[in-house]
Amino acid sequence: MDGTSIGWLALPLAILGGAIRVSTPFIFVSIGELITEKSGRINLGLEGTLMLGAMAGYAISYLSGSPWLGVLSAGLAGMAFGLLHGLLCSVKRVNDTAIGISLIVLGTGLAFFLGKPLIEPKAPPLPSIALGFWSSVPRMRAALDVNALFFVGIALAFVVYVFLNRTGWGLMLRTVGDSEDAARALGFPVLRVRIVATMAGGILAGIGGSFLSLSYPGSWSEGLSSGQGIMAVALVIFARWRSINALGASLLFGGAGALGPALQGIGVTGYYYLFNAAPYILTLAIMVASTSRAAPFADAPGELKLHR
Protein backbone atom coordinates (compact mmCIF):
# COMPACT_ATOMS: atom_id res chain seq x y z
CA MET A 1 0.00 0.00 0.00
CA ASP A 2 1.61 3.29 -1.08
CA GLY A 3 0.95 6.82 0.04
CA THR A 4 -1.33 7.78 -2.80
CA SER A 5 -3.60 4.73 -3.13
CA ILE A 6 -5.31 3.24 -0.07
CA GLY A 7 -8.44 1.96 -1.82
CA TRP A 8 -11.70 1.83 0.06
CA LEU A 9 -10.05 3.09 3.25
CA ALA A 10 -9.83 6.61 1.82
CA LEU A 11 -13.51 7.51 2.44
CA PRO A 12 -13.89 6.27 6.05
CA LEU A 13 -10.53 7.76 6.94
CA ALA A 14 -11.51 11.12 5.51
CA ILE A 15 -14.85 11.02 7.37
CA LEU A 16 -13.11 9.96 10.60
CA GLY A 17 -10.54 12.74 10.40
CA GLY A 18 -13.20 15.28 9.45
CA ALA A 19 -15.56 14.10 12.20
CA ILE A 20 -12.88 14.57 14.85
CA ARG A 21 -12.02 18.03 13.54
CA VAL A 22 -15.58 19.30 12.97
CA SER A 23 -16.99 17.80 16.18
CA THR A 24 -14.55 19.51 18.55
CA PRO A 25 -16.28 22.93 18.74
CA PHE A 26 -19.66 21.15 18.90
CA ILE A 27 -18.50 19.21 21.98
CA PHE A 28 -17.62 22.36 23.91
CA VAL A 29 -20.61 24.44 22.83
CA SER A 30 -23.18 21.68 23.34
CA ILE A 31 -21.91 20.69 26.79
CA GLY A 32 -21.83 24.37 27.76
CA GLU A 33 -25.43 24.78 26.61
CA LEU A 34 -26.37 21.58 28.42
CA ILE A 35 -25.08 23.02 31.71
CA THR A 36 -27.03 26.23 31.08
CA GLU A 37 -30.25 24.39 30.23
CA LYS A 38 -29.91 22.11 33.24
CA SER A 39 -30.40 25.27 35.32
CA GLY A 40 -33.70 25.96 33.56
CA ARG A 41 -32.41 28.67 31.24
CA ILE A 42 -31.77 28.54 27.49
CA ASN A 43 -29.03 30.57 25.79
CA LEU A 44 -29.74 31.08 22.10
CA GLY A 45 -26.94 33.63 21.88
CA LEU A 46 -24.28 30.93 21.50
CA GLU A 47 -23.60 31.89 17.90
CA GLY A 48 -22.48 35.34 19.03
CA THR A 49 -20.44 33.86 21.89
CA LEU A 50 -18.80 31.44 19.46
CA MET A 51 -17.81 34.24 17.10
CA LEU A 52 -16.52 36.44 19.92
CA GLY A 53 -14.52 33.52 21.33
CA ALA A 54 -13.03 32.79 17.91
CA MET A 55 -11.96 36.41 17.49
CA ALA A 56 -10.64 36.80 21.07
CA GLY A 57 -8.72 33.52 20.91
CA TYR A 58 -7.18 34.41 17.58
CA ALA A 59 -6.29 37.99 18.56
CA ILE A 60 -4.60 37.06 21.85
CA SER A 61 -2.80 34.12 20.27
CA TYR A 62 -1.49 36.39 17.52
CA LEU A 63 -0.45 39.17 19.89
CA SER A 64 1.06 36.93 22.59
CA GLY A 65 2.40 34.09 20.45
CA SER A 66 0.68 31.55 22.73
CA PRO A 67 -2.35 29.62 21.40
CA TRP A 68 -3.26 28.40 24.90
CA LEU A 69 -3.37 31.99 26.14
CA GLY A 70 -5.74 32.55 23.24
CA VAL A 71 -7.95 29.68 24.42
CA LEU A 72 -8.01 31.18 27.93
CA SER A 73 -8.96 34.59 26.55
CA ALA A 74 -11.73 33.04 24.46
CA GLY A 75 -13.11 31.38 27.58
CA LEU A 76 -13.03 34.68 29.47
CA ALA A 77 -14.81 36.47 26.60
CA GLY A 78 -17.45 33.75 26.61
CA MET A 79 -17.81 34.03 30.38
CA ALA A 80 -18.41 37.79 30.08
CA PHE A 81 -21.14 37.18 27.50
CA GLY A 82 -22.62 34.44 29.69
CA LEU A 83 -22.65 36.82 32.65
CA LEU A 84 -24.39 39.46 30.52
CA HIS A 85 -26.99 36.95 29.37
CA GLY A 86 -27.50 35.67 32.90
CA LEU A 87 -27.96 39.14 34.39
CA LEU A 88 -30.34 40.33 31.67
CA CYS A 89 -32.47 37.20 31.91
CA SER A 90 -32.73 37.64 35.68
CA VAL A 91 -34.78 40.80 35.15
CA LYS A 92 -38.52 40.19 35.46
CA ARG A 93 -40.55 39.91 32.25
CA VAL A 94 -37.39 39.55 30.15
CA ASN A 95 -37.53 36.73 27.65
CA ASP A 96 -34.57 34.33 27.35
CA THR A 97 -35.11 33.85 23.63
CA ALA A 98 -35.17 37.56 22.83
CA ILE A 99 -32.01 38.17 24.86
CA GLY A 100 -30.31 35.25 23.13
CA ILE A 101 -31.10 36.58 19.66
CA SER A 102 -29.90 40.04 20.69
CA LEU A 103 -26.61 38.59 21.88
CA ILE A 104 -26.12 36.78 18.57
CA VAL A 105 -26.21 40.15 16.84
CA LEU A 106 -24.07 41.84 19.49
CA GLY A 107 -21.44 39.08 19.60
CA THR A 108 -21.16 38.80 15.83
CA GLY A 109 -20.94 42.56 15.43
CA LEU A 110 -18.33 42.96 18.17
CA ALA A 111 -16.23 40.13 16.74
CA PHE A 112 -16.25 41.69 13.28
CA PHE A 113 -15.55 45.20 14.59
CA LEU A 114 -12.69 44.19 16.88
CA GLY A 115 -11.28 41.48 14.64
CA LYS A 116 -11.39 43.24 11.28
CA PRO A 117 -7.74 44.42 11.49
CA LEU A 118 -6.67 40.83 12.27
CA ILE A 119 -8.03 39.04 9.21
CA GLU A 120 -4.72 39.01 7.33
CA PRO A 121 -2.14 37.85 9.93
CA LYS A 122 -1.73 34.21 10.91
CA ALA A 123 -1.81 33.29 14.60
CA PRO A 124 0.09 30.35 16.12
CA PRO A 125 -2.28 27.34 15.86
CA LEU A 126 -3.12 24.89 18.63
CA PRO A 127 -0.86 21.82 18.75
CA SER A 128 -1.99 18.47 17.39
CA ILE A 129 -1.16 14.97 18.60
CA ALA A 130 0.09 12.71 15.81
CA LEU A 131 -1.67 9.41 16.56
CA GLY A 132 -0.90 8.17 13.05
CA PHE A 133 2.88 8.30 13.49
CA TRP A 134 3.10 4.54 12.99
CA SER A 135 1.69 4.70 9.44
CA SER A 136 3.57 5.47 6.24
CA VAL A 137 0.31 6.50 4.50
CA PRO A 138 -0.06 10.31 4.43
CA ARG A 139 -3.88 10.16 4.49
CA MET A 140 -3.78 7.89 7.53
CA ARG A 141 -1.42 10.24 9.33
CA ALA A 142 -3.54 13.26 8.38
CA ALA A 143 -6.75 11.61 9.63
CA LEU A 144 -5.13 10.72 12.96
CA ASP A 145 -3.49 14.11 13.49
CA VAL A 146 -5.84 15.08 16.31
CA ASN A 147 -6.02 18.50 17.96
CA ALA A 148 -5.37 18.49 21.71
CA LEU A 149 -8.69 20.24 22.42
CA PHE A 150 -10.56 17.18 21.12
CA PHE A 151 -9.22 15.09 24.00
CA VAL A 152 -10.03 17.89 26.45
CA GLY A 153 -13.60 17.79 25.10
CA ILE A 154 -13.87 14.02 25.66
CA ALA A 155 -12.65 14.39 29.25
CA LEU A 156 -15.06 17.31 29.74
CA ALA A 157 -18.08 15.15 28.82
CA PHE A 158 -17.25 12.64 31.57
CA VAL A 159 -16.35 15.32 34.12
CA VAL A 160 -19.70 17.06 33.55
CA TYR A 161 -21.51 13.72 33.85
CA VAL A 162 -19.89 13.09 37.24
CA PHE A 163 -20.55 16.69 38.31
CA LEU A 164 -24.24 16.55 37.47
CA ASN A 165 -24.94 13.09 38.85
CA ARG A 166 -22.48 12.55 41.69
CA THR A 167 -21.96 15.92 43.40
CA GLY A 168 -24.01 18.16 45.66
CA TRP A 169 -23.54 21.16 43.37
CA GLY A 170 -24.77 19.08 40.45
CA LEU A 171 -27.85 18.10 42.45
CA MET A 172 -28.48 21.78 43.27
CA LEU A 173 -28.17 22.71 39.57
CA ARG A 174 -30.61 19.98 38.51
CA THR A 175 -33.05 20.92 41.24
CA VAL A 176 -33.03 24.57 40.17
CA GLY A 177 -33.63 23.49 36.58
CA ASP A 178 -36.38 21.02 37.40
CA SER A 179 -38.42 22.99 39.94
CA GLU A 180 -37.79 26.56 41.02
CA ASP A 181 -40.27 26.23 43.88
CA ALA A 182 -38.58 23.12 45.24
CA ALA A 183 -35.17 24.77 44.94
CA ARG A 184 -36.34 27.83 46.87
CA ALA A 185 -37.91 25.59 49.52
CA LEU A 186 -34.53 23.88 49.96
CA GLY A 187 -32.82 27.26 50.28
CA PHE A 188 -30.94 27.14 46.98
CA PRO A 189 -30.01 30.54 45.44
CA VAL A 190 -31.93 30.11 42.18
CA LEU A 191 -30.82 33.24 40.34
CA ARG A 192 -27.19 32.86 41.36
CA VAL A 193 -27.12 29.24 40.23
CA ARG A 194 -28.59 30.16 36.85
CA ILE A 195 -26.16 33.02 36.31
CA VAL A 196 -23.17 30.83 37.19
CA ALA A 197 -24.48 28.04 34.94
CA THR A 198 -24.88 30.50 32.05
CA MET A 199 -21.36 31.82 32.65
CA ALA A 200 -20.00 28.25 32.62
CA GLY A 201 -21.82 27.63 29.37
CA GLY A 202 -20.35 30.84 27.96
CA ILE A 203 -16.81 29.80 28.91
CA LEU A 204 -17.16 26.50 27.05
CA ALA A 205 -18.77 28.18 24.03
CA GLY A 206 -15.91 30.68 23.91
CA ILE A 207 -13.35 27.84 24.03
CA GLY A 208 -15.24 26.11 21.22
CA GLY A 209 -14.94 29.33 19.24
CA SER A 210 -11.20 29.45 19.81
CA PHE A 211 -10.87 26.04 18.15
CA LEU A 212 -12.42 27.46 14.97
CA SER A 213 -9.75 30.12 14.64
CA LEU A 214 -6.75 28.35 16.21
CA SER A 215 -6.96 24.94 14.59
CA TYR A 216 -5.64 24.42 11.07
CA PRO A 217 -5.01 26.79 9.27
CA GLY A 218 -5.05 29.28 12.19
CA SER A 219 -6.99 32.17 10.74
CA TRP A 220 -10.04 34.26 11.58
CA SER A 221 -12.73 35.59 9.29
CA GLU A 222 -16.32 36.79 9.50
CA GLY A 223 -18.83 33.94 9.39
CA LEU A 224 -16.35 31.40 10.71
CA SER A 225 -18.91 29.60 12.89
CA SER A 226 -21.38 28.79 10.06
CA GLY A 227 -24.33 28.51 12.44
CA GLN A 228 -22.71 25.96 14.77
CA GLY A 229 -23.91 27.85 17.86
CA ILE A 230 -27.55 27.43 16.82
CA MET A 231 -27.02 23.81 15.80
CA ALA A 232 -25.60 23.09 19.27
CA VAL A 233 -29.01 23.88 20.79
CA ALA A 234 -30.60 21.18 18.61
CA LEU A 235 -27.76 18.86 19.50
CA VAL A 236 -28.51 19.21 23.23
CA ILE A 237 -32.12 18.20 22.58
CA PHE A 238 -30.92 15.25 20.52
CA ALA A 239 -28.59 14.24 23.39
CA ARG A 240 -31.54 14.34 25.82
CA TRP A 241 -29.64 16.68 28.13
CA ARG A 242 -26.89 14.12 28.89
CA SER A 243 -23.24 15.11 28.52
CA ILE A 244 -21.93 11.76 27.26
CA ASN A 245 -24.76 11.61 24.73
CA ALA A 246 -23.72 15.12 23.67
CA LEU A 247 -20.23 13.80 22.96
CA GLY A 248 -21.63 11.10 20.67
CA ALA A 249 -24.04 13.52 19.02
CA SER A 250 -21.17 15.96 18.37
CA LEU A 251 -19.23 13.22 16.60
CA LEU A 252 -22.34 12.45 14.54
CA PHE A 253 -22.71 16.11 13.53
CA GLY A 254 -18.97 16.22 12.83
CA GLY A 255 -19.26 13.18 10.59
CA ALA A 256 -22.16 14.79 8.73
CA GLY A 257 -20.08 17.94 8.26
CA ALA A 258 -17.14 15.93 6.95
CA LEU A 259 -19.19 13.95 4.45
CA GLY A 260 -19.05 16.48 1.60
CA PRO A 261 -15.28 17.18 1.73
CA ALA A 262 -14.58 13.44 2.15
CA LEU A 263 -16.53 12.53 -0.97
CA GLN A 264 -14.88 15.34 -2.88
CA GLY A 265 -11.49 14.04 -1.73
CA ILE A 266 -12.07 10.70 -3.46
CA GLY A 267 -13.38 12.32 -6.63
CA VAL A 268 -17.15 12.35 -6.01
CA THR A 269 -18.03 15.92 -6.95
CA GLY A 270 -21.71 15.52 -7.85
CA TYR A 271 -24.26 16.99 -5.43
CA TYR A 272 -21.37 18.72 -3.61
CA TYR A 273 -23.54 21.43 -2.04
CA LEU A 274 -26.17 18.89 -1.02
CA PHE A 275 -23.61 16.81 0.89
CA ASN A 276 -22.19 19.97 2.48
CA ALA A 277 -25.68 20.78 3.74
CA ALA A 278 -25.85 17.45 5.63
CA PRO A 279 -25.37 19.02 9.12
CA TYR A 280 -28.18 21.52 8.52
CA ILE A 281 -30.50 18.81 7.18
CA LEU A 282 -29.66 16.69 10.22
CA THR A 283 -30.44 19.63 12.52
CA LEU A 284 -33.82 20.17 10.84
CA ALA A 285 -34.66 16.46 11.08
CA ILE A 286 -33.76 16.39 14.77
CA MET A 287 -35.87 19.45 15.55
CA VAL A 288 -38.89 17.99 13.71
CA ALA A 289 -38.48 14.61 15.39
CA SER A 290 -37.92 16.13 18.84
CA THR A 291 -40.97 18.36 18.73
CA SER A 292 -43.40 15.79 17.39
CA ARG A 293 -46.14 14.41 19.60
CA ALA A 294 -44.48 10.99 19.50
CA ALA A 295 -41.27 12.31 21.10
CA PRO A 296 -42.11 14.77 23.91
CA PHE A 297 -39.44 16.53 25.95
CA ALA A 298 -39.63 13.88 28.63
CA ASP A 299 -36.02 14.36 29.71
CA ALA A 300 -35.99 18.17 29.57
CA PRO A 301 -35.47 20.18 32.76
CA GLY A 302 -38.90 21.15 34.11
CA GLU A 303 -38.18 24.89 34.24
CA LEU A 304 -36.78 25.09 30.71
CA LYS A 305 -38.87 27.52 28.70
CA LEU A 306 -38.25 25.50 25.56
CA HIS A 307 -40.11 22.69 27.28
CA ARG A 308 -43.00 24.62 28.81
Side-chain angles (χ1 to χ4, degrees):
M1 185 179 292
D2 58 35
T4 57
S5 175
I6 55 176
W8 61 270
L9 276 175
L11 181 60
L13 274 177
I15 293 178
L16 173 64
I20 292 173
R21 184 179 62 255
V22 178
S23 67
T24 302
F26 277 125
I27 294 173
F28 284 92
V29 181
S30 63
I31 292 179
E33 177 62 10
L34 183 146
I35 293 172
T36 302
E37 292 190 12
K38 276 289 187 182
S39 74
R41 177 166 286 163
I42 186 170
N43 183 1
L44 293 180
L46 290 175
E47 187 73 12
T49 307
L50 203 65
M51 282 300 299
L52 195 64
M55 188 281 299
Y58 178 83
I60 297 302
S61 177
Y62 170 70
L63 295 172
S64 69
S66 169
W68 292 111
L69 199 55
V71 172
L72 176 63
S73 303
L76 292 175
M79 184 179 71
F81 245 50
L83 175 61
L84 179 61
H85 187 284
L87 291 175
L88 290 175
C89 291
S90 299
V91 178
K92 288 184 178 180
R93 299 189 188 89
V94 170
N95 185 277
D96 291 9
T97 303
I99 293 298
I101 293 172
S102 302
L103 291 183
I104 290 177
V105 178
L106 178 61
T108 305
L110 271 178
F112 181 65
F113 175 74
L114 297 173
K116 191 174 180 180
L118 301 170
I119 290 178
E120 290 296 332
K122 180 174 170 57
L126 287 165
S128 296
I129 300 173
L131 297 181
F133 64 90
W134 47 270
S135 175
S136 60
V137 181
R139 284 190 178 181
M140 183 78 77
R141 292 202 302 271
L144 297 178
D145 196 21
V146 182
N147 194 284
L149 268 187
F150 176 72
F151 297 104
V152 176
I154 292 176
L156 176 68
F158 288 94
V159 168
V160 170
Y161 173 82
V162 172
F163 170 76
L164 289 174
N165 297 285
R166 298 286 187 273
T167 69
W169 286 6
L171 175 63
M172 181 168 64
L173 178 67
R174 288 189 288 120
T175 304
V176 168
D178 284 333
S179 173
E180 185 172 328
D181 292 337
R184 292 191 187 281
L186 290 169
F188 294 154
V190 173
L191 285 181
R192 197 186 314 163
V193 168
R194 286 179 174 162
I195 290 173
V196 171
T198 310
M199 289 171 63
I203 291 172
L204 295 182
I207 292 174
S210 72
F211 177 85
L212 295 174
S213 59
L214 295 179
S215 62
Y216 180 84
S219 61
W220 182 87
S221 63
E222 188 185 13
L224 192 65
S225 63
S226 304
Q228 292 185 42
I230 297 296
M231 284 191 280
V233 177
L235 195 150
V236 172
I237 298 171
F238 181 58
R240 314 311 292 180
W241 292 270
R242 297 185 178 93
S243 60
I244 296 178
N245 288 358
L247 173 63
S250 297
L251 285 168
L252 177 64
F253 270 59
L259 184 60
L263 288 172
Q264 191 181 30
I266 62 170
V268 180
T269 56
Y271 304 104
Y272 174 73
Y273 293 105
L274 178 61
F275 287 122
N276 276 351
Y280 306 102
I281 296 172
L282 183 62
T283 302
L284 181 61
I286 287 172
M287 292 306 294
V288 171
S290 299
T291 54
S292 69
R293 291 178 182 275
F297 292 97
D299 301 317
E303 293 291 330
L304 193 63
K305 291 183 178 178
L306 183 68
H307 166 61
R308 290 185 295 178

